[in-house]
Amino acid sequence: ATLLGLVILAGAAAGVATYQVRLSNQRMAEMQLEKAKEDALLAAWSGQFESAERNIQEAERLGVSHAWARMLRAQVAFHQDRPDEAIEHLKQAIRLVPDSLVARAMMAKALNWIGHWDQGIMMLDDLEKLTPKTAEDYLFLGWARAMGVPGRGLDALDEAVRMRPSSPIARVVRADARANHANDTGDPRDVEAALDEPLLVLVRVR
């Protein structure tokens, strides 16, 4: 009975160890995927389009969703001044995931940038009907809210940074929003907050 008990315990321990390894590998893969997505976005926003494409391909290799691949390629097309192609990518992403806050936020920004302000505002209003859940949701919700009134995006961007403090893109977008907000208000406290935010990389945050 004692030997049988030891065998059972050993088997259980091995099972736990295997589960922990799988969980660790899964978390590592998720981190690699998030890094590839962020690197693709930062590269697109800073005009490094070949790097953006390499990172999109890496994200696809790591299992990024078709909707996210569309969103990433939309950002590349948009920053290459191909807005029609970018909007088509975003339409496809929204068809694939209709309740994607990120895809709809990107669409709101794209419509606003090409001068379709009424449609952009309608899309922004639709965002308020969705509930942000992930750091990415808060990031792109704040990014979209800030396009007209930078201060409106800060609460969501603060939450994105809180949820993912190591994210360079969240800090870059918040830095841009804080700087624009300080420029709008001229309030010394807002200026101080903007100066306290390190701008980690020079990008065009459209």
Side-chain angles (χ1 to χ4, degrees):
T2 302
L3 180 59
L4 178 59
L6 290 173
V7 170
I8 292 173
L9 285 174
V16 169
T18 299
Y19 172 75
Q20 289 176 334
V21 169
R22 287 177 180 172
L23 188 60
S24 177
N25 290 341
Q26 180 181 349
R27 286 175 177 168
M28 181 64 70
E30 289 172 353
M31 290 173 61
Q32 290 174 337
L33 176 55
E34 292 308 315
K35 183 179 186 303
K37 286 161 62 178
E38 290 212 353
D39 287 350
L41 285 168
L42 286 172
W45 289 0
S46 58
Q48 300 173 28
F49 302 121
E50 291 183 3
S51 175
E53 181 57 32
R54 285 195 300 271
N55 280 290
I56 293 171
Q57 291 177 6
E58 175 66 5
E60 289 175 325
R61 186 187 69 81
L62 292 167
V64 75
S65 70
H66 292 306
W68 252 108
R70 287 280 191 174
M71 287 184 264
L72 294 173
R73 287 204 161 86
Q75 291 302 302
V76 173
F78 193 62
H79 284 80
Q80 289 179 323
D81 293 321
R82 293 183 282 118
D84 291 343
E85 182 179 336
I87 287 173
E88 184 57 34
H89 278 303
L90 293 173
K91 286 180 179 178
Q92 293 299 326
I94 292 170
R95 288 194 187 102
L96 289 167
V97 188
D99 61 348
S100 170
L101 197 155
V102 176
R104 290 181 176 276
M106 287 186 180
M107 180 66 87
K109 289 278 288 189
L111 290 169
N112 182 73
W113 186 258
I114 64 174
H116 295 179
W117 298 291
D118 290 344
Q119 294 179 48
I121 290 171
M122 288 177 60
M123 185 67 71
L124 186 59
D125 288 342
D126 287 342
L127 290 180
E128 303 303 329
K129 301 172 186 176
L130 302 174
T131 301
K133 299 175 182 177
T134 67
E136 288 169 340
D137 287 344
Y138 281 102
L139 167 62
F140 285 94
L141 175 62
W143 181 62
R145 282 177 175 171
M147 67 181 174
V149 182
R152 284 191 61 206
L154 290 176
D155 286 346
L157 293 172
D158 285 342
E159 183 62 15
V161 172
R162 187 196 68 79
M163 293 179 71
R164 194 174 292 167
S166 62
S167 167
I169 200 165
R171 292 187 177 276
V172 164
V173 175
R174 187 174 69 173
D176 184 71
R178 281 183 170 179
N180 289 330
H181 179 57
N183 187 59
D184 284 351
T185 67
D187 189 315
R189 292 169 298 182
D190 296 331
V191 173
E192 183 178 357
L195 292 174
D196 284 344
E197 184 77 86
L199 191 58
L200 302 182
V201 62
L202 181 62
V203 298
R204 291 187 297 163
V205 184
R206 286 187 175 180

